Amino acid sequence: MAANLVLVAYKTLCMSYIALVVLALASAGVVYYQTKARSRVLPAIQRCRRRIQVDMEGTMHGLFSGSRVVRIYGAYDAFEDKLRKLDDWQQAVGALANAVLFTKFLWQHIVSMALTLGLVGAMLVTDVGIWQLTPVSVQLYYEIASKLMSLLTQLANIQVNAINHALVLQELCDLGSMVPEAPWHAAKIKTKWQQQQQASGERVLPSQGRILFANCSLRYKQGDKLALANVTLSIHAGERVGIVGRTGSGKSSLLYALLRIVELESGAISIDSMNISKAGLHDLRQSISVVPQTSTAALLEGTLRNNIDPFGQYADVEITAAIEACQLGGLGADKWIESGGRNLSAGQQQLVSICRAVLRRKKILVLDEATANVDEHTEQVIGAVIEREFKQSTVLIIAHRLEATASCNRILVMDGGRLVEQGPPAVLAARSGSHYARLLRAQNKA
């Protein structure tokens, strides 16, 4: 291709010097129209298409994973409307992409033809007084110009491919330059916790369960607003604390910060006077028991014993005692559980997660909407187990339903990522203008 380009340029310059100017203009025009349409419009369309595809996959996953709740509440219409809108958007974006490609293809040939005719015209005008024009010379000029346009188009395609490969390389470099996750183990902190463990004679780490948030700010992505904004609070050892607020208020963000799923932007969190940023992730997360809203993803195919003690760290006597404490004795330790707990009810799935927490007996227990998808009887069982088995533990209860926090010693009310109110539930409910009282009134109206 390079040899052909040199040969064509040489023949062109030999025939006409003015063609050099036209050649430069033609090159600039072809390269511009070949690259701009791809480098700006098409990538934007592809990003929009990927975003719609991700939304559609997330909606389908929510529909399938929560099929029981969807059937109970008859919420198929909401999912159907959302999927129909996403499908319409996907078809519209696909049609737009096809229209852009067709317009680009048509415009490319129009521009190439115009530049080719312009180049031939320039050669003919400059050669009128030099050579006698013949059909053969005109054909020769046109073939040279057409070949030149084809070569320029190929060069533009090479440039576009090089840009695409450079973008892929840039994404790989960005992924490679991401801040790595903290190490799983930190010898100094682990040794300190082990010293406390030996002094207290307990298996669990830490030994007390005091939690301190000091001016903590958290942001999920650069450019997003703060999910936590200068949150400062102290939770005493053995205290039962309810965390409430509207959707997006920052309740779950406190849990993500405590487990270091998302690192703090500023501030510090301490457990038993030890800064958790200096602890290994595995050491930190092993010291906290978490019961999520749904336990489907955490239930593996195997026996009940293997599900509550997957690493074989506890004796059969302890496992049996934990099962009995959670009223799962009817299943038995050798009960076979299918993947995702398909052969268990929603209440039994949640009780398995509670059973894990009872078996581990950590000093910090977090319930993240643990009773949101269970019946009233199972909710009472879970409440009784927490009251009986975790008297000496610090319990954090994240809840939308305020009834789940009625037995808490203290309520933390979150709003916009800030701690706007705290105190005993009875005291906060008695204040008509408090945030907690407004949440109660809104819930009663609903």
Side-chain angles (χ1 to χ4, degrees), residues 115-221:
L115 292 175
T116 300
L117 293 177
L119 186 58
V120 172
M123 293 178 180
L124 293 177
V125 170
T126 54
D127 286 345
V128 166
I130 301 176
W131 291 343
Q132 183 178 0
L133 292 177
T134 62
V136 175
S137 63
V138 173
Q139 181 181 3
L140 177 62
Y141 289 158
Y142 183 78
E143 288 181 354
I144 292 175
S146 299
K147 194 169 186 179
L148 184 60
M149 291 299 105
S150 176
L151 291 172
L152 290 174
T153 300
Q154 293 181 27
L155 288 176
N157 290 334
I158 291 174
Q159 179 190 10
V160 170
N161 291 333
I163 292 174
N164 292 336
H165 285 63
L167 291 175
V168 173
L169 181 60
Q170 181 64 41
E171 290 182 2
L172 292 175
C173 292
D174 291 341
L175 291 175
S177 61
M178 291 177 62
V179 178
E181 192 177 46
W184 273 37
H185 300 285
K188 293 182 179 179
I189 299 298
K190 187 175 181 180
T191 300
K192 199 169 183 180
W193 273 347
Q194 286 177 343
Q195 291 174 354
Q196 289 188 354
Q197 171 190 351
Q198 292 173 359
S200 62
E202 298 179 358
R203 180 189 297 180
V204 294
L205 301 173
S207 60
Q208 297 179 10
R210 296 192 310 272
I211 304 174
L212 174 64
F213 288 76
N215 297 318
C216 295
S217 296
L218 180 145
R219 196 190 309 269
Y220 287 101
K221 290 193 304 183

Side-chain angles (χ1 to χ4, degrees), residues 68 296 299-304 307 328 331-332 334-349 352:
R68 293 180 181 177
T296 303
L299 293 175
L300 308 177
E301 186 174 359
T303 63
L304 178 59
N307 269 273
L328 291 173
L331 298 180
D334 295 323
K335 166 69 177 180
W336 186 263
I337 297 178
E338 297 180 3
S339 178
R342 292 192 298 268
N343 59 334
L344 299 179
S345 66
Q348 289 174 329
Q349 293 174 7
V352 172

Side-chain angles (χ1 to χ4, degrees), residues 75-377:
Y76 285 107
D77 293 339
F79 283 92
E80 184 180 1
D81 293 342
K82 186 174 182 180
L83 288 173
R84 186 179 291 111
K85 290 179 182 178
L86 289 173
D87 184 61
D88 292 342
W89 273 105
Q90 192 173 32
Q91 292 182 7
V93 171
L96 179 61
N98 293 332
V100 170
L101 289 174
F102 176 76
T103 304
K104 174 188 166 299
F105 174 79
L106 185 62
W107 186 249
Q108 168 188 340
H109 284 277
I110 292 174
V111 171
S112 298
M113 181 62 69
L115 292 175
T116 300
L117 293 177
L119 186 58
V120 172
M123 293 178 180
L124 293 177
V125 170
T126 54
D127 286 345
V128 166
I130 301 176
W131 291 343
Q132 183 178 0
L133 292 177
T134 62
V136 175
S137 63
V138 173
Q139 181 181 3
L140 177 62
Y141 289 158
Y142 183 78
E143 288 181 354
I144 292 175
S146 299
K147 194 169 186 179
L148 184 60
M149 291 299 105
S150 176
L151 291 172
L152 290 174
T153 300
Q154 293 181 27
L155 288 176
N157 290 334
I158 291 174
Q159 179 190 10
V160 170
N161 291 333
I163 292 174
N164 292 336
H165 285 63
L167 291 175
V168 173
L169 181 60
Q170 181 64 41
E171 290 182 2
L172 292 175
C173 292
D174 291 341
L175 291 175
S177 61
M178 291 177 62
V179 178
E181 192 177 46
W184 273 37
H185 300 285
K188 293 182 179 179
I189 299 298
K190 187 175 181 180
T191 300
K192 199 169 183 180
W193 273 347
Q194 286 177 343
Q195 291 174 354
Q196 289 188 354
Q197 171 190 351
Q198 292 173 359
S200 62
E202 298 179 358
R203 180 189 297 180
V204 294
L205 301 173
S207 60
Q208 297 179 10
R210 296 192 310 272
I211 304 174
L212 174 64
F213 288 76
N215 297 318
C216 295
S217 296
L218 180 145
R219 196 190 309 269
Y220 287 101
K221 290 193 304 183
Q222 188 68 29
D224 289 354
K225 66 178 184 179
L226 289 173
L228 293 179
N230 296 321
V231 174
T232 299
L233 64 96
S234 177
I235 300 174
H236 306 296
E239 188 177 14
R240 183 173 301 180
V241 176
I243 304 173
V244 301
R246 301 185 184 277
T247 301
S249 60
K251 303 186 301 296
S252 295
S253 297
L254 289 174
L255 173 60
Y256 297 154
L258 183 62
L259 295 175
R260 292 181 63 190
I261 296 176
V262 182
E263 297 288 355
L264 292 176
E265 183 174 286
S266 62
I269 302 175
S270 300
I271 297 178
D272 287 358
S273 303
M274 290 181 290
N275 193 331
I276 65 172
S277 64
K278 299 178 181 179
L281 292 182
H282 187 71
D283 301 329
L284 170 65
R285 294 167 185 172
Q286 280 289 316
S287 68
I288 302 173
S289 292
V290 179
V291 180
Q293 181 174 353
T294 58
S295 305
T296 303
L299 293 175
L300 308 177
E301 186 174 359
T303 63
L304 178 59
R305 175 187 287 104
N306 292 336
N307 269 273
I308 64 176
D309 183 25
F311 302 106
Q313 298 174 325
Y314 298 89
D316 288 343
V317 176
E318 296 175 296
I319 295 174
T320 303
I323 293 174
E324 293 293 338
C326 296
Q327 299 187 15
L328 291 173
L331 298 180
D334 295 323
K335 166 69 177 180
W336 186 263
I337 297 178
E338 297 180 3
S339 178
R342 292 192 298 268
N343 59 334
L344 299 179
S345 66
Q348 289 174 329
Q349 293 174 7
Q350 203 67 350
L351 286 174
V352 172
S353 290
I354 296 293
C355 190
R356 288 173 180 158
V358 171
L359 183 63
R360 299 174 69 202
R361 296 189 183 277
K362 301 299 181 181
K363 284 296 183 180
I364 299 176
L365 172 66
V366 181
L367 304 176
D368 187 7
E369 302 285 352
T371 60
N373 297 323
V374 300
D375 57 90
E376 185 177 353
H377 173 71

